[in-house]
Amino acid sequence: MKKRSKKSLSHNILVWMLITSILPLVFFGLFSVFYISDMSLKQIENRVNDSLTTSVELIDGFIAEYNTKVDVLSENQRLIDILSKSVISESEKNLVYKMLYETIENQTSNLSIYLVKKDASFSIGTGDIPLQYDIGLFKNWGVFYLLENQKVPSMIPHAYSENGHDNSMTIARRMVLNDETIAYLILDVSKKKIESLVSNVKRTSYGLVQLVMVSQTNNVLYNDSIFGNSLGFYNSMFTYDRFSVNRLQFGFEALENMYMNSVNSKENDYRIYGIVPVNLIIDYNKQMVYTILMLVVIAALLSFIARDIIKKQLETPIIELVNHMKLVGKGKDTETVVDGSRIEELSFIISGYNKMIRRIRDLHKDDLEKQDKLRISEIKTLQSQINPHFLYNTLDTIKWKAKFEGVQEIADIATELGNILKVTMDTDQTFVTLEQEINFIKSYFNIMKTRYADRMEYMVEVDCELHKLMMPKLLIQPLVENAFEHGIDTMVEKGVIRVSVTRNEGVVIDVMNNGSPFKIKKEDFFRSNEGNHIGLKNIEDRIKLNYNEGYGLTWFEKDGWMVFRITLPFNDEE
């Protein structure tokens, strides 16, 4: 099969720019010319109906939400108790203010809520109380009359303008104590709130749907249409209603200048009309065609210009990066790629690639160093171990000979030394449980106890939850041995060695003695003992190799004790 030839980067850039920019515009333009030009009245009608239906759902949802809030507030026993008083204190007045503001939350510019006592002794609101809510003047009129004499609807159509508030509807409740009305709770909803509810659903591909909201008694509650006054709207609406009874009978002549439709709310007392001037659709079609043709021409010109610019800024750095990758792939140790690009994303790729190459080199170098350290540590650990198998058998013979001769002390020493040899001879096991490590230390203590007798005492304290903690083998014993040699060996009085294992943020292992202080600093000691991995340096290196830099070995004096501390991470694996 003939291998397909590969094109240059600049050629591919031009082809794909043409495909992704010009062709979609051409297809979209052809589609728009035929589809938008043939847009039918039925399609417009469906979109207007969707807008009207959604608007009704949003408004009804808002009305239901605030009916619930007004119901809750009107039945608030604390508020009823305050209103039942003949004199309301300043603190109680502030509490009432708080309840009112909490009900309308942060919508003070769109909603106003008032509380008026029936006896006219007290009234309060989130804004200036309108004159029509002066119960002394209008007790038997308007909202007050409706609340007292009729079944209160969830929404009262109530269009009025006063004190800068352009109202649309009202939600109101009586506040009752012992079946008697003591106050009226009134929530006014401004036309601005209706606008905020329906603003998004009015948008269509051919412009805004103009909305008019009217009550069933033909009060205009909201109007953003071209009919600036109610009379102009009703003259056009009557024409629309006359034709909408049987639209097929009259054709489309009545809708030459506008399309109008309406939807009734099934839950509340209002209807919404949607209006779209037909000339908007025609103008939109022409504008769309001209815009698409202009975009096609501009896109073609920009594609050729952009191809030349991108070729200069993109192709050369990419070629250099690819060549460098090829050299690295062949195993050649090369310098990093020089970033000469002015494109942020390409510079980021080159920078990331250089960081990756440096990181790989550093990791390879660190891996080689760790392998060398582990090899040297293992060799020196093996060198420090006395593990001939025949020695263990010889100790076993001594133990039984001592028992036979009745020298129990020698038998015990042989037993403890045998336990130590079992651990040191097992070179395959590099990690042991803390419990096994402590048993090894106790065997070592028992042997040294024979030597020091009453001159030495030891204590081992271990958190029982840490017995199954896994840790490197023979990590504590060098610290115990150091405590004997440099701590209590030269003491005249009784020496004490304490081994403590506790859990804090990690695991803390302290080996303490009351002997001579160890005053050499950690850094100086490790420099002067470079290569001595059997002792303290061995402990530090093995912790760093197995864990991270946050753990290791430290020493310090505290309350007359010389403390050598190992810190390890905690794990609960058993």
Side-chain angles (χ1 to χ4, degrees), residues 398-498:
I398 293 172
K399 179 183 73 173
W400 288 106
K401 180 66 176 175
K403 285 188 176 183
F404 182 75
E405 295 293 337
V407 187
Q408 184 61 39
E409 187 175 10
I410 295 176
D412 292 341
I413 292 175
T415 300
E416 298 294 358
L417 186 55
N419 292 336
I420 291 174
L421 286 176
K422 282 183 179 180
V423 176
T424 58
M425 288 171 62
D426 186 3
T427 58
D428 294 331
Q429 187 178 21
T430 58
F431 274 74
V432 296
T433 64
L434 176 62
E435 185 177 21
Q436 291 172 312
E437 184 76 1
I438 292 300
N439 289 336
F440 178 82
I441 297 303
K442 288 180 178 179
S443 295
Y444 184 78
F445 270 129
N446 290 333
I447 294 175
M448 299 306 289
K449 183 71 174 176
T450 304
R451 172 184 170 184
Y452 285 89
D454 295 335
R455 289 180 53 218
M456 184 274 290
E457 179 183 352
Y458 74 88
M459 292 175 283
V460 178
E461 301 169 350
V462 181
D463 189 336
C464 60
E465 294 182 356
L466 301 175
H467 281 169
K468 300 302 181 183
L469 174 76
M470 299 302 296
M471 60 182 295
K473 186 173 68 174
L474 301 179
L475 202 63
I476 305 176
Q477 188 274 337
L479 297 181
V480 176
E481 182 177 350
N482 184 74
F484 277 106
E485 293 182 3
H486 301 284
I488 68 173
D489 190 56
T490 59
M491 291 179 60
V492 177
E493 63 273 16
K494 187 175 184 178
V496 180
I497 299 177
R498 294 179 58 189

Side-chain angles (χ1 to χ4, degrees), residues 170-415:
T170 296
I171 300 172
R173 295 291 187 275
R174 292 187 308 134
M175 299 191 69
V176 178
L177 178 65
N178 298 327
D179 296 330
E180 293 292 332
T181 302
I182 62 171
Y184 301 97
L185 183 61
I186 304 169
L187 174 68
D188 278 350
V189 181
S190 71
K191 294 179 181 179
K192 288 168 57 179
K193 181 59 184 177
I194 304 300
E195 169 67 22
S196 68
L197 290 173
V198 302
S199 59
N200 290 330
V201 301
K202 295 194 304 177
R203 303 182 185 278
T204 68
S205 58
Y206 44 81
L208 295 178
V209 177
Q210 301 172 19
L211 298 180
V212 180
M213 179 180 177
V214 300
S215 69
Q216 297 298 345
T217 56
N218 293 327
N219 290 318
V220 176
L221 307 179
Y222 171 78
N223 182 6
D224 65 12
S225 71
I226 58 176
F227 309 107
N229 57 70
S230 300
L231 182 60
F233 169 72
Y234 280 122
N235 287 336
S236 299
M237 186 186 69
F238 292 150
T239 302
Y240 161 76
D241 283 342
R242 194 172 69 249
F243 282 92
S244 64
V245 174
N246 188 350
R247 192 169 301 179
L248 294 178
Q249 178 181 347
F250 298 95
F252 300 127
E253 289 78 12
L255 302 175
E256 287 181 355
N257 296 323
M258 65 180 179
Y259 170 77
M260 184 186 298
N261 204 350
S262 67
V263 171
N264 281 318
S265 170
K266 297 180 181 179
E267 301 177 5
N268 297 288
D269 182 21
Y270 70 89
R271 168 188 287 191
I272 292 185
Y273 290 88
I275 305 167
V276 176
V278 176
N279 63 333
L280 286 179
I281 303 171
I282 299 173
D283 293 342
Y284 178 80
N285 291 346
K286 293 180 180 178
Q287 183 181 2
M288 178 67 71
V289 172
Y290 295 147
T291 301
I292 291 173
L293 292 175
M294 181 177 63
L295 288 176
V296 169
V297 174
I298 293 175
L301 294 175
L302 290 178
S303 295
F304 285 95
I305 296 173
R307 190 275 307 266
D308 293 335
I309 296 175
I310 294 175
K311 180 181 178 180
K312 294 178 181 179
Q313 297 185 358
L314 186 65
E315 188 173 25
T316 301
I318 288 179
I319 291 175
E320 183 179 352
L321 182 62
V322 170
N323 291 335
H324 190 276
M325 289 180 178
K326 291 178 180 178
L327 293 175
V328 173
K330 294 177 180 179
K332 295 183 179 180
D333 189 10
T334 60
E335 297 295 328
T336 55
V337 179
V338 178
D339 183 8
S341 173
R342 290 184 294 176
I343 300 176
E344 181 180 356
E345 291 77 8
L346 186 55
S347 294
F348 181 79
I349 292 173
I350 294 174
S351 175
Y353 174 76
N354 288 334
K355 289 179 181 179
M356 181 186 69
I357 293 298
R358 287 192 292 266
R359 180 62 175 160
I360 290 173
R361 290 171 181 167
D362 292 341
L363 288 174
H364 182 63
K365 181 179 177 181
D366 291 344
D367 185 59
L368 292 177
E369 290 177 355
K370 285 185 177 181
Q371 289 180 16
D372 289 340
K373 287 183 179 181
L374 280 174
R375 179 176 55 82
I376 295 171
S377 177
E378 289 172 358
I379 291 173
K380 292 196 173 184
T381 300
L382 291 174
Q383 290 174 347
S384 68
Q385 296 172 350
I386 305 173
N387 59 357
H389 195 269
F390 77 91
L391 184 57
Y392 176 72
N393 292 334
T394 302
L395 285 172
D396 194 50
T397 302
I398 293 172
K399 179 183 73 173
W400 288 106
K401 180 66 176 175
K403 285 188 176 183
F404 182 75
E405 295 293 337
V407 187
Q408 184 61 39
E409 187 175 10
I410 295 176
D412 292 341
I413 292 175
T415 300

Side-chain angles (χ1 to χ4, degrees), residues 49-116:
N49 288 343
D50 290 342
S51 298
L52 294 175
T53 301
T54 305
S55 297
V56 169
E57 290 174 352
L58 291 172
I59 295 173
D60 285 348
F62 166 80
I63 294 172
E65 177 186 357
Y66 275 86
N67 264 275
T68 302
K69 291 185 177 183
V70 171
D71 285 338
V72 171
L73 186 59
S74 67
E75 297 171 2
N76 186 296
Q77 191 59 48
R78 175 62 176 146
L79 181 58
I80 292 174
D81 292 341
I82 292 174
L83 295 174
S84 65
K85 297 180 180 180
S86 58
V87 178
I88 298 175
S89 67
E90 191 65 27
S91 62
E92 291 173 330
K93 182 179 179 181
N94 291 335
L95 179 59
V96 173
Y97 262 123
K98 182 180 178 181
M99 292 180 181
L100 295 179
Y101 276 104
E102 286 178 348
T103 300
I104 63 174
E105 297 172 336
N106 59 346
Q107 301 195 60
T108 53
S109 61
N110 295 329
L111 304 176
S112 298
I113 188 167
Y114 311 102
L115 191 60
V116 181

